[in-house]
Amino acid sequence: MLLFVDCCISYRGDRSRSHALCQAFLEEYKKTHPAEDIETVNLQRMALKPFDQFTTDDRNSLRNVKAFDSPIFKLARQFKRADRIVIGAPLRDLTFPAMLRVYIEYICVRELTYHYENQVCVGDCMAEKLAYLSVSGGPETEENLGVDYWRQLTQRFGIKEFYHVDAYGLDFEPERTEEIMGVACDKARALARDF
């Protein structure tokens, strides 16, 4: 099963460029993996709330007794059992939109998606590959914290391979927007074929 985490929020609505990049990947993936199921988590529709003191205490109490069938762990269970994972989001304030950070809180569950052995983090997720697809109107920054964040999370979850496809400078060089998107979509399609 391929898990697509859709955080393609944009004031452009249906013309979202991050959504277009993800669709290029997903359409090619469907062509080359016709028997594979795709599950989508649409973060805009979910309206997840950040954990506060009380919800954190509740979750930790459930985790401590390994009650992982509880609804609060639904997203973590789904993430853990995925064979492949694709995350789509625009670059926002040097990382990604806040709703994606909230989603990360839901999937980072000790003893479910990772655990510790002798003070070393060991991932428990089944996925072999994770791809992070990102767009930005501005030029690429020297240090992309969103990419670094997902690269480190991939390691934490025990996922062996991390990939990143981006389309940056879409508003910075408006005369090249179509070209930049075309190159990025081609890269996304190429990645999808062997993903």
Side-chain angles (χ1 to χ4, degrees):
M1 178 267 288
L2 174 77
L3 176 64
F4 170 44
V5 181
D6 181 354
C7 186
C8 299
I9 61 173
S10 171
Y11 67 88
R12 292 180 174 82
D14 292 342
R15 297 178 297 111
S16 162
R17 299 178 299 200
S18 54
H19 184 73
L21 181 60
C22 291
Q23 284 308 303
F25 178 97
L26 293 171
E27 288 168 9
E28 191 66 26
Y29 189 84
K30 288 175 191 174
K31 283 183 198 172
T32 54
H33 304 80
E36 188 82 14
D37 290 330
I38 298 175
E39 291 184 17
T40 300
V41 174
N42 187 315
L43 297 182
Q44 291 187 87
R45 293 186 186 146
M46 295 190 76
L48 296 172
K49 293 183 178 177
F51 283 93
D52 59 22
Q53 173 189 343
F54 305 105
T55 52
T56 299
D57 287 347
D58 289 345
R59 183 174 79 158
N60 288 346
S61 295
L62 290 166
R63 187 200 67 211
N64 290 342
V65 296
K66 300 194 183 305
F68 294 127
D69 57 344
S70 170
I72 201 165
F73 299 120
K74 179 182 178 183
L75 292 172
R77 290 193 309 268
Q78 179 189 46
F79 191 90
K80 177 179 180 169
R81 69 177 167 79
D83 300 306
R84 306 277 191 274
I85 300 167
V86 178
I87 316 287
L91 178 67
R92 183 75 50 89
D93 303 324
L94 302 180
T95 58
F96 37 71
M99 67 176 65
L100 185 53
R101 176 62 186 90
V102 174
Y103 173 76
I104 291 168
E105 286 190 323
Y106 280 81
I107 61 172
C108 283
V109 181
R110 189 166 44 88
E111 306 304 329
L112 182 59
T113 53
Y114 68 95
H115 68 279
Y116 286 95
E117 291 180 10
N118 301 318
Q119 300 182 354
V120 175
C121 185
V122 178
D124 294 315
C125 292
M126 294 173 57
E128 297 177 9
K129 300 177 181 183
L130 185 144
Y132 179 56
L133 311 180
S134 181
V135 304
S136 175
E140 182 173 10
T141 57
E142 188 172 322
E143 293 183 4
N144 187 317
L145 301 179
V147 174
D148 291 342
Y149 201 137
W150 276 106
R151 182 178 286 114
Q152 289 184 45
L153 283 172
T154 299
Q155 293 171 358
R156 165 173 275 200
F157 294 132
I159 301 169
K160 295 176 182 67
E161 299 177 37
F162 173 80
Y163 301 89
H164 173 235
V165 177
D166 61 59
Y168 294 153
L170 298 173
D171 297 331
F172 192 72
E173 300 180 86
E175 70 282 359
R176 295 188 58 229
T177 296
E178 190 173 327
E179 173 196 345
I180 294 167
M181 278 299 296
V183 169
C185 286
D186 285 345
K187 287 180 182 177
R189 291 185 192 98
L191 175 61
R193 290 182 199 114
D194 297 320
F195 198 68

